[in-house]
Amino acid sequence: MSEVVVPRNFRLLDELNRVEKGQDIPSTISYGLADDNPLLYNWTGMLIPPPSSKHAGYIYNLEIYCGDNYPRVPPVVRFKENVSLPFLNAKKEVDPQKFPYFRNWKYSNTIETSLLELLRFIS
Amino acid sequence: MSTPAIKRIQKELARLQSDPLEGITVTPAEDNIRYLTVILPGPKGTCYEGGKFKLEVFCGEGYPMQPPQCRFLTRIYHPNIDRLGRICLDIIDQNPAKCQWTPAIQIGSMLLSIQSLLSEPNVDDPLDERVASHWRTDRKGAEAEARRQTLQHAK
């Protein structure tokens, strides 16, 4: 079997489709498209740490940028609130070198799995 | 790499290039023959005339048993096409329960169907309700807006 590679735009449309249908998205995260640019660059996200987490009671709002090379490379994820977390750079973006899920990024990873891993990483 | 699906896509592309349909051009991506860029001229005598609309098509894992995915990259004002360029058309509906695709349909015939959707918007099965209601209540005004956006985005 030859490998079928889903190109960037259709991959992001699939991800959007999941959100729009509300298919089994865990309640600890949410995400969606930030504007109606057909090139699907800008997304927003939210981390809602569960009661068992030391971050319980906080909600983290995120800006997510999927560049032209996504999903060959991870999205850029920026925390909107002023939080101090060791894996953020000065612009409050997740530093891919300090977040193993981004450092070892795979094409099949998605915005959704990234947010879930991020939540696990801070918990 | 030469699965039956790939062979079929190659054959369809060869035919579309040697015998182009209605000014439609179809170009596969250099690194992915399943991923096509299409330039579709707006049909003559419609509010899309003169426009050159860019679309992208992906013949996924299920092709040709399942339809390609297809959407407009050029913004277009049409009741069956949404702001992200997604198209509501029975032969390419991604919901298997509603989809009228059969493997006998080819990429070329799909593109002709999309072109005829531009000639005959279907306001009874809209994707963008706001545009559809504009079409139902003020057809002339809606067509003028479509013509304006064609000039603005689809040169």
Side-chain angles (χ1 to χ4, degrees), chain A:
Chain A
M1 285 300 282
S2 65
E3 197 192 335
V4 178
V5 178
V6 179
R8 174 192 181 277
N9 293 355
F10 286 104
R11 169 54 186 280
L12 283 170
L13 286 173
D14 286 344
E15 296 195 38
L16 181 64
N17 202 15
R18 248 180 88 74
V19 180
E20 288 177 341
K21 288 195 175 139
Q23 281 168 343
D24 348 297
I25 312 264
S27 57
T28 50
I29 59 165
S30 82
Y31 58 101
L33 205 52
D35 56 39
D36 62 6
N37 182 336
L39 294 178
L40 315 164
Y41 288 122
N42 297 305
W43 297 65
T44 58
M46 216 186 255
L47 303 180
I48 308 148
S52 57
S53 158
K54 62 180 182 229
H55 295 265
Y58 291 93
I59 288 179
Y60 296 114
N61 287 290
L62 310 170
E63 287 171 1
I64 301 161
Y65 176 78
C66 296
D68 290 323
N69 292 325
Y70 178 86
R72 292 193 196 288
V73 298
V76 177
V77 176
R78 185 178 160 275
F79 279 65
K80 289 173 83 170
E81 284 86 8
N82 279 318
V83 284
S84 129
L85 292 165
F87 54 91
L88 299 184
N89 67 19
K91 291 189 283 183
K92 293 187 285 179
E93 291 165 359
V94 174
D95 180 342
Q97 290 312 312
K98 294 181 182 161
F99 179 43
Y101 192 70
F102 280 4
R103 195 171 60 225
N104 306 313
W105 180 258
K106 292 196 193 83
Y107 197 89
S108 56
N109 296 352
T110 63
I111 297 171
E112 181 172 334
T113 61
S114 298
L115 297 189
L116 288 172
E117 284 300 319
L118 209 47
L119 190 62
R120 220 163 58 106
F121 195 62
I122 64 173
S123 293

Side-chain angles (χ1 to χ4, degrees), chain A residues 2 5 7 9 20 36 38, chain B residues 1 32 56 71 75 83 86:
Chain A
S2 65
V5 178
N9 293 355
E20 288 177 341
D36 62 6
Chain B
M1 279 300 277
N32 191 349
E56 57 181 358
R71 72 160 182 151
R75 195 149 270 171
R83 293 283 286 171
R86 293 177 292 188

